[in-house]
Amino acid sequence: DESVDIFWTTEVIEHMKPEFVEAWIADAARCLRQGGLAYVSTPNHEGSNTTLPLDHGYEWGHLELRAMLEKYFLVESVHGVFIQMPRFRKAQAALSRWPAAVVADIESRFSPEWQRVILATAYPEYANNAAFIMRKL
């Protein structure tokens, strides 16, 4: 109990059966010291591909995962990891987090692969993958 400073999981929970994930997260919170850092990165169901990869048992929705994580941690920030450009356009139209001039500059200076990484940052709810940075309550 409360013996570790950092819990870090990257692209793991989508490979687990969903009924086991919350127990695993709860146990990680039990082991984490007060104020310890927790990092969870996983595909976002709303931003991911329609068909799951064969090795994915379940992909969490952004709000669904956030609600579960907030039972155990204080969510400090959430960032998109990469985004499909049509989903970026949808998010941009709905939320306008990036000024048009900034988007145009990024598109003119970076390859499409880098654009997907850079522009995803502000749109975790639309991104293919989202990264949650949290502290133990």
Side-chain angles (χ1 to χ4, degrees):
D1 290 353
E2 299 187 345
S3 61
V4 296
D5 294 315
I6 298 173
F7 168 66
W8 186 280
T9 179
T10 304
E11 311 306 314
V12 172
I13 65 173
E14 68 273 14
H15 302 283
M16 299 170 68
K17 291 185 178 185
E19 60 267 23
F20 299 123
V21 173
E22 186 165 358
W24 187 61
I25 294 292
D27 200 49
R30 179 189 60 78
C31 294
L32 198 62
R33 285 190 177 105
Q34 201 69 27
L37 179 68
Y39 178 92
V40 175
S41 174
T42 189
N44 170 29
H45 175 72
E46 286 90 3
S48 197
N49 297 319
T50 313
T51 305
L52 286 179
L54 294 176
D55 63 336
H56 288 197
Y58 184 77
E59 289 185 358
W60 294 78
H62 178 78
L63 294 177
E64 172 189 31
L65 180 58
R66 185 180 188 120
M68 190 260 292
L69 293 172
E70 286 178 338
K71 293 179 186 177
Y72 306 96
F73 304 107
L74 171 65
V75 176
E76 291 187 342
S77 65
V78 186
H79 300 285
V81 178
F82 62 91
I83 194 167
Q84 295 176 18
M85 291 310 285
R87 288 201 173 87
F88 170 77
R89 299 277 177 237
K90 179 181 176 183
Q92 181 67 7
L95 304 173
S96 302
R97 290 185 186 154
W98 290 80
V102 171
V103 174
D105 185 47
I106 290 169
E107 290 180 325
S108 71
R109 296 174 54 197
F110 295 94
S111 70
E113 292 77 22
W114 279 106
Q115 291 170 29
R116 292 181 65 201
V117 173
I118 296 166
L119 296 172
T121 303
Y123 300 100
E125 56 277 278
Y126 289 92
N128 291 69
N129 291 52
F132 291 79
I133 299 170
M134 303 164 290
R135 295 279 173 187
K136 182 174 177 181
L137 298 171

